[in-house]
Amino acid sequence: MKSNIIASSILLGACFLSLYRYFRFEEIFFLLLAFRELIASINFLRRKNPIAESKNAFIAYLSSGLPYLYFPPSSLSFELISNVLFISGFFIVTLATIDLGKSIGVKAAKRDRVTTGIYKYINHPMYLGYSIAQFGMVLLNPINIFIYILSLFLFFKRSSEENRILNS
Amino acid sequence: MNKLLKIITVLLTVSAFSQVFNNERSVSIKDFNQLSKFYLDLSNTFLELSKKAQSLEESDLNHYEKEQLFRKEMDLKMDSINNTVLEIGNNFKGSPGV
């Protein structure tokens, strides 16, 4: 219960940060981001206790924190494509967050298996969305390719662990 | 409930795409380019005016003629600056706070 409140508060903070950025820069993308964080924050408060969960949470937390290490843009030549990737990626992530509902979590855990909505077509839409969005950071600064490859590797490890826990 | 949330998500995504493709952001790169060009032009204008003042100072003209010629030159430059300011103001997409 305590961890749910902590996670929910962090996401609510991220929601307010995104709202601040929206009012500061008037970019609707940040409104989408704030909306996603708000849904995730509510989902964390409502989420169920897991039947089983992974003992190794390090990869999950590292993968969640990795995007903060991306370097800022070095060139704006691909700004339009990057923006398209950010919006498309977070569109998928937001849909996945809605469908995931009470089964949301950072580390792999066995709660209710979601097979409706976007999960009917893709097993791990959240990771797909993040991968698309984060590729935008590579286009803005090529040095980010190293963080991106590590991020993809961690997504692969997380999805494998989730499949293992869910099928256990 | 989920359906309503998804409709909001789609609407926000479409609006975000539309904003990106119409370049309606608060401050665009074009705004910055235009502003930096303006500041460059402005500093060049003051440099030219200072050179003009120096050349007039060294000339044999009397004080009244020097002042008239300098005023004429300055008015011309100021007209050009005013036009550029109006042009930037009309095209600027950013908010005054930026």
Side-chain angles (χ1 to χ4, degrees):
Chain A
M1 187 63 191
K2 197 180 164 188
S3 66
N4 288 4
I5 294 171
I6 293 170
S8 178
S9 308
I10 292 170
L11 285 160
L12 201 62
C15 168
F16 284 122
L17 197 67
S18 303
L19 275 180
Y20 166 75
R21 292 189 74 172
Y22 167 70
F23 287 116
R24 177 75 179 80
F25 299 108
E26 293 170 13
E27 286 181 45
I28 299 170
F29 167 68
F30 290 116
L31 212 53
L32 176 69
L33 212 60
F35 184 63
R36 186 264 159 188
E37 307 293 18
L38 183 67
I39 296 168
S41 171
I42 295 167
N43 283 350
F44 263 100
L45 275 183
R46 296 162 59 226
R47 80 171 172 176
K48 293 177 174 176
N49 286 329
I51 302 160
E53 64 182 344
S54 170
K55 285 186 173 64
N56 186 7
F58 177 72
I59 286 178
Y61 290 115
L62 177 67
S63 168
S64 300
L66 209 59
Y68 294 100
L69 297 180
Y70 278 114
F71 290 92
S74 62
S75 148
L76 293 171
S77 315
F78 296 106
E79 195 195 16
L80 182 69
I81 306 170
S82 303
N83 283 333
V84 169
L85 290 172
F86 293 147
I87 298 166
S88 312
F90 275 92
F91 171 65
I92 297 171
V93 169
T94 311
L95 288 184
T97 309
I98 295 168
D99 286 326
L100 210 50
K102 294 175 188 172
S103 300
I104 200 166
V106 179
K107 62 180 172 180
K110 192 171 187 175
R111 295 186 176 88
D112 287 342
R113 192 172 200 147
V114 181
T115 50
T116 53
I118 198 166
Y119 282 86
K120 203 158 60 180
Y121 308 101
I122 314 159
N123 277 344
H124 300 281
M126 202 88 93
Y127 301 145
L128 174 74
Y130 284 134
S131 307
I132 292 171
Q134 287 180 24
F135 188 66
M137 290 306 293
V138 178
L139 292 181
L140 290 178
N141 192 337
I143 201 159
N144 284 331
I145 187 79
F146 300 107
I147 302 174
Y148 184 67
I149 290 169
L150 180 62
S151 199
L152 286 184
F153 173 72
L154 293 176
F155 286 149
F156 173 73
K157 293 292 279 181
R158 284 177 80 178
S159 54
S160 308
E161 180 70 359
E162 278 172 26
N163 289 342
R164 190 186 67 78
I165 294 275
L166 284 171
N167 295 324
S168 64
Chain B
M1 183 64 178
N2 276 10
K3 202 169 250 182
L4 178 70
L5 293 176
K6 282 179 186 176
I7 290 169
I8 297 171
T9 306
V10 170
L11 288 176
L12 283 173
T13 307
V14 171
S15 311
F17 272 128
S18 147
Q19 191 183 41
V20 162
F21 286 111
N22 292 320
N23 202 14
E24 285 171 354
R25 288 187 319 144
S26 172
V27 177
S28 70
I29 298 303
K30 201 180 152 200
D31 289 333
F32 279 120
N33 286 343
Q34 212 171 8
L35 277 177
S36 55
K37 190 180 171 296
F38 169 68
Y39 285 123
L40 199 70
D41 288 349
L42 198 64
S43 62
N44 281 338
T45 303
F46 281 113
L47 200 70
E48 282 168 25
L49 278 175
S50 124
K51 277 182 188 168
K52 182 75 184 175
Q54 203 176 356
S55 71
L56 283 172
E57 200 58 48
E58 287 164 2
S59 69
D60 297 330
L61 298 168
N62 63 40
H63 181 72
Y64 177 76
E65 285 170 331
K66 280 177 190 175
E67 197 176 307
Q68 285 300 310
L69 279 171
F70 185 73
R71 232 173 241 285
K72 202 177 158 187
E73 184 75 18
M74 198 164 76
D75 284 346
L76 272 173
K77 297 283 185 199
M78 283 303 156
D79 276 349
S80 156
I81 289 170
N82 281 341
N83 287 335
T84 317
V85 169
L86 279 175
E87 196 187 325
I88 289 176
N90 289 335
N91 296 331
F92 195 62
K93 292 186 179 78
S95 63
V98 176

